[in-house]
Amino acid sequence: QVQLVESGGGLVQAGGSLRLSCAASGSIFSINAMVWYRQAPGKQREGVARITRGGITSYSDSVKGRFTISRDNAKNTVYLQMNSLKPEDTADYYCNTPPGSRQYPWGQGTQVTVSS
């Protein structure tokens, strides 16, 4: 039905930047809010950024001011621009719909590693 594919992760030094992409195989972003999640070793998956169908964004306190979520519905893609990266941002990053709405199968995620 719908596949979510994350990309753009990598190894960067503290203070660096990365731009993550989440592409969907179906045209779902025009009718769904989307969330970027991350999961670090030994921790639960947490949502860090959300964008509504109307384009309203929100962020967790840990990334506010450093990360920016955006979307391009024509390309069925959502992005996460990550600036001023910190070692504690190291995690696997995933995209999906918000809790409480229909979620799709999780993709493989993309790994972000920030060295100090």
Side-chain angles (χ1 to χ4, degrees):
Q1 186 182 142
V2 171
Q3 294 184 16
L4 299 169
V5 181
E6 300 90 351
S7 63
L11 173 64
V12 298
Q13 294 181 329
S17 298
L18 285 172
R19 185 174 176 84
L20 307 184
S21 297
C22 171
S25 61
S27 301
I28 68 169
F29 295 152
S30 64
I31 60 173
N32 285 285
M34 295 298 296
V35 177
W36 278 100
Y37 302 84
R38 70 183 182 186
Q39 186 168 26
K43 295 185 178 181
Q44 293 183 311
R45 181 184 292 113
E46 62 170 340
V48 298
R50 172 189 291 217
I51 184 166
T52 71
R53 187 176 65 179
I56 305 301
T57 60
S58 59
Y59 304 90
S60 67
D61 289 340
S62 62
V63 308
K64 188 177 298 183
R66 300 186 298 117
F67 291 8
T68 302
I69 187 171
S70 61
R71 69 183 187 188
D72 187 338
N73 291 336
K75 297 181 179 180
N76 291 322
T77 304
V78 295
Y79 305 94
L80 186 67
Q81 178 67 46
M82 306 186 295
N83 298 326
S84 302
L85 283 163
K86 304 175 180 179
E88 52 261 45
D89 295 319
T90 296
D92 291 330
Y93 285 73
Y94 305 84
C95 63
N96 216 318
T97 50
S101 63
R102 185 193 190 282
Q103 290 200 313
Y104 296 93
W106 294 97
Q108 296 186 90
T110 186
Q111 185 177 4
V112 172
T113 302
V114 184
S115 62
S116 60

